[in-house]
Amino acid sequence: MVYYIRFLKTPRFQKQKQSAYISALICISTDLGDDFLAEEVDLTASWVQHSSHKVRAQTTFRWQAGSRQSAVSLGPFSLSAVTAQTAVLKIQLADVERDTLEEGSIPLVISANSAPFGPQWEPAEPLIRRDLCIPGHLRPLSIWEETGNSIARHIWDAALAAVVFLDRVVSGSETTMSGLTKLLAPGTASLRVVELGAGCGIVGIAVATMHKNCEVILTDLPEVSDIVSRNIKEASSQHTSTSVTFQTLDWDEPTPALVGETTDLILVSDCTYNADSLPALVSVLGRFVQESPELLILVALKRRHESEAVFFDLMRTAGFHSSHVAVNLPAQWDQMDQIEMYCYQKA
Ligand SMILES: C[S@@+](CC[C@H](N)C(=O)[O-])C[C@H]1O[C@@H](n2cnc3c(N)ncnc32)[C@H](O)[C@@H]1O
């Protein structure tokens, strides 16, 4: 299980007598936010100049085993040094240079970049940017999340594993799911990709950066609209021939207009945690496949409780068959955690 650095209090410049400091409060918790990192780790806090991306100052501090939060303080700085600056605070593991999404290289703790703050004393917006490096890509995949505990507006472990897996498929190093390998091979005809329950949109946006010739439609409930739009805008400079858009799609609503067109691939990451919503999810998948019988569906899931098994029964009853593989994510105490990838097609 991967851990994520989150801001409990977002960073700000703070004046103390004739000096200024950067202060923030962080925690390191799971995607569900239900568990804190129990290992001791050394972290680096960097004041990064927003305009130039240059590191202005840095400090190392320790996350103590058993902590639920840790205060971050950087300084003192002269008042004149901070009053002309817009800054970003980056917190990362001290011994990890970048967060690489490659099996075996993913860090146990995912770094956090704050939203810009300063030059005045206002705190940064309650947002976190994750910069995730996909092997072979020059620029990291930058995804914004909210700092709070919303289910939809942050990244989940299955999404990280799905990006790792899709990168392997697109680069040709993963061939166990031959239909998916063929579909995502470079140079294939334009694809229409729909992500259900996209949250921040990380998986669909990753596909758009990996496969240059596709139209990606991210869907979810209206509550993700702001964060996903921010991520689409952030990504828009990286992929020129790919269109990424957001549309509301509630699995419980009558057939959405989206279903009426031919779709090649549906992405579903970490959407099977609530057994009550599974019949509606499977019903939407069934409606898509009626329009697009060749459609492939990639489901990334982390098993959280036994009730999720009903998803497999529902898919089988709806006439889908699948192949599956597992992707390893790091866990505490040098353990590994498995995320399952299922590629479904209508039998
Ligand atoms: C655990 S989050 C996963 C988010 C993202 N796919 C990821 O892996 O990072 C589950 C997502 O399913 C969405 N969801 C839950 N019920 C839904 C419904 N009835 N219709 C559409 N989306 C739904 C939530 O809004 C949320 O974004």
Side-chain angles (χ1 to χ4, degrees), residues 31-32 145 151-160 195-203 219-221 223-224 248-253 267-274 277 280-281 284 300 304:
D31 55 2
L32 203 51
E145 304 184 313
I151 285 195
R153 295 184 293 268
H154 69 265
I155 296 169
W156 292 73
D157 287 359
L160 297 183
E195 180 168 8
L196 302 184
C200 300
I202 172 173
V203 184
T219 74
D220 205 306
L221 302 173
E223 66 188 73
V224 309
T248 302
L249 192 163
D250 182 341
W251 313 329
D252 292 303
E253 296 280 303
L267 305 166
V268 185
S269 163
D270 225 328
C271 289
T272 52
Y273 59 94
N274 178 4
S277 64
L281 173 61
V284 172
R304 295 174 197 273

